[in-house]
Amino acid sequence: MTDSPTADTPSITFDDLDIDERVRNAIADVGYETPSPIQAATIPPLLAGNDVVGLAQTGTGKTAAFALPALSHLAELSDLEGPSKAVQVLVLAPTRELALQVGEAFSSYAKHLEDFTVLPVYGGSPYGPQLAGLRRGAQVVVGTPGRVIDHLKRGSLDLSQLRHLVLDEADEMLRMGFAEDVEEILSQTPAEKQVALFSATMPKSIRRIAEDYLRDPVEVRVKAKTTTAANIRQRYMQVMHSHKLEAMTRVLEVEDYDGVIAFVRTKKETEEVSDKLKARGFQAAAINGDIPQTQRERTVEALREGRVDILVATDVAARGLDVERISLVVNFDIPHDTESYVHRIGRTGRAGREGEAILFMTPREKHMLRQIEKATHQKVEQMHMPSAADVNQSRLDNFAQQITETLESEDLTLFKGLVEGYVAEHDVPAEDVAAAIAFIAQDGRPFFAEELPASGPGGLWLQADGCCSKASWVAVTTSATGNIALARGWQTFARARGLGRRCTLHFKYDGDATLYVRVFGEDGRHAGCCPETNDGEEVLDLGDGRDEDEGEPALGGNRVSSSYGGSSSGDSSSSGGYD
């Protein structure tokens, strides 16, 4: 085994690596600017064709470390040999949650590759959609060992043309009892392939697999920074993506903070979120890698001096940022890895002071929250979005406080004279004049907040958390009170499971952006495609799924539109058919 120096903070960019241009463009779309230490140390040897053993914790960015070189290789092969539908990359993961996460990452990195499919296969979900996906062809299969073995025994998974094999969290797979399955899968793969093995630890069992199945692998070690300061209070809020801005502004109005830094994933978002905050009356500024260094320095100085209160930033732009007055860090978008999370919240609570960190999380990102808690060994407490009543009371209090402070501290002789003159000339009550002045000061912004609407245009869109097949799932519109309307695709969903043309949805709304749904066919039997909770109810993500550029609802990249409506109240059921 060839040793590689311990990975450290890289000084290179993705443009410095020999990654295919199409894959590099997808990286830019995701918002990555520079590789993490594990990526910088692992991508070059994998691109060179070496086997690799990576010793890294969850949350160090290792998914991109093995996905980007594999996709680059497949893109080049497609150019040379033409497109292929054969399975060329197999990733083994210990849990279905990790398999789904890795599958989503591969899909995002492969978005500019033509006619390319990534298929997750895992236990606890129906075979039908997975078999259909394998028959159609998938260049990348991400799966749990048990389900991969099942497909190999059925003959539905052909690994004869496999070129890349990845063992992700290998120590966890062996701890869960998958050692024999892993070895059986390895024995059924071609001799000529590239193998990448990633593990947090290197017990004898992992070292033996490396010695038996990897060819002179390069060993890369990286230790994630996973310590968060005890003086930083960490909270998370489960919120739909379309309500994040409202959630942030409500928190800022109800709770008292000094300087704030909000982290988003992309450069474009820094500008968008900053502009929207300024439109709501906050002193905000954006900072990202495209902004010249001199301007970034001026913006940070403005934050330090109090001329700017909120900085909206990407991870790279805020690296090393140290401003004492930052008392709150908002993870507007959940970070891709735990190391980034630790770095982000480390921007507050400096020099022993108290700090606050809030994480916005959509329901389908729960697994990422669990990874953060596991890696940092700290529980992140849940919080809820302040209500409109809370915000309005805060606004009333602040309004009264501003009047009191102004009366006590400012010389109002000039303005008193102006008001008295207006009252005398127009014969109107002084309180009417004061009300008009307050209205002008609002500059068109409503003084009172309103409760969020039950549903926006077209309704709120449900997206399956852990959906086993984009083609067979159904998009559903709903309101926060539980009203349901079935959307296009329902007929396919029902027929594929033999449920008949009329099915029943049993659902209940927990008031926290999650709808619990059970699907029953005409014969009363339960069916569905998502992993079930212990009580047998499926968990769906109450996200609006809208593409802001196109203004259309989306589900797994497929456009859908509402075609049937029906309603019922929460904790009951709604029946609907599609003809």
Side-chain angles (χ1 to χ4, degrees), residues 387-399:
S387 67
D390 295 333
V391 174
N392 292 336
Q393 186 59 54
S394 178
R395 290 181 181 180
L396 286 170
D397 293 342
N398 289 335
F399 183 69

Side-chain angles (χ1 to χ4, degrees), residues 8 14 18 48 63 116 123 156 159 198 258 276 320 338 358-359 388 416 418 437 441 452 456 459 553 560:
D8 202 350
F14 283 108
D18 192 23
T63 301
F116 198 91
S156 51
L159 299 180
F198 288 86
D258 193 4
K276 290 175 180 178
T338 55
I358 295 175
L359 171 70
K416 285 174 66 176
L418 291 174
I437 294 172
L452 293 174
V560 294

Side-chain angles (χ1 to χ4, degrees), residues 173-200:
M173 277 193 284
L174 268 57
R175 187 192 65 78
M176 295 172 66
F178 287 127
E180 292 184 5
D181 288 347
V182 170
E183 295 208 41
E184 183 176 348
I185 293 168
L186 285 166
S187 68
Q188 296 190 44
T189 58
E192 292 300 317
K193 64 181 179 298
Q194 185 183 59
V195 182
L197 183 155
F198 288 86
S199 179

Side-chain angles (χ1 to χ4, degrees), residues 294-315:
T294 53
Q295 185 177 339
R296 278 191 270 172
E297 291 174 356
R298 288 196 297 269
T299 301
V300 172
E301 190 61 29
L303 176 68
R304 187 173 283 113
E305 295 176 354
R307 290 180 284 114
V308 167
D309 293 323
I310 305 171
L311 201 61
V312 185
T314 57
D315 289 299

Side-chain angles (χ1 to χ4, degrees), residues 375-551:
T376 59
H377 306 291
Q378 287 184 286
K379 190 73 174 174
V380 182
E381 63 180 284
Q382 186 173 12
M383 66 180 296
H384 298 279
M385 187 189 303
S387 67
D390 295 333
V391 174
N392 292 336
Q393 186 59 54
S394 178
R395 290 181 181 180
L396 286 170
D397 293 342
N398 289 335
F399 183 69
Q401 183 65 26
Q402 284 182 298
I403 293 174
T404 300
E405 291 177 355
T406 303
L407 289 171
E408 293 176 349
S409 61
E410 302 295 336
D411 182 1
L412 303 177
T413 305
L414 171 63
F415 294 102
K416 285 174 66 176
L418 291 174
V419 172
E420 289 170 354
Y422 188 93
V423 168
E425 181 179 351
H426 296 277
D427 192 25
V428 294
E431 56 266 26
D432 286 357
V433 178
I437 294 172
F439 181 85
I440 294 171
Q442 281 298 111
D443 196 24
R445 296 187 300 271
F447 185 82
F448 286 122
E450 297 180 357
E451 292 294 353
L452 293 174
S455 62
L460 303 178
W461 288 79
L462 285 172
Q463 186 168 358
D465 181 10
C467 172
C468 62
S469 171
K470 294 177 183 176
S472 65
W473 191 239
V474 58
V476 182
T477 59
T478 183
S479 72
T481 56
N483 295 330
I484 273 186
L486 302 182
R488 187 175 67 215
W490 176 258
Q491 186 178 39
T492 304
F493 174 78
R495 285 179 174 174
R497 287 157 181 76
L499 302 181
R501 296 171 72 85
R502 295 193 66 82
C503 303
T504 303
L505 291 178
H506 287 246
F507 62 94
K508 61 182 181 180
Y509 181 70
D510 72 354
D512 195 26
T514 302
L515 189 73
Y516 296 88
V517 179
R518 286 187 294 181
V519 185
F520 291 85
E522 291 176 307
D523 59 0
R525 63 188 178 89
H526 175 261
C529 85
C530 285
E532 297 177 8
T533 57
N534 293 332
D535 60 0
E537 294 176 322
E538 298 185 59
V539 181
L540 304 181
D541 172 8
L542 187 58
D544 66 354
R546 290 184 180 274
D547 186 322
E548 292 186 358
D549 294 331
E550 300 186 28

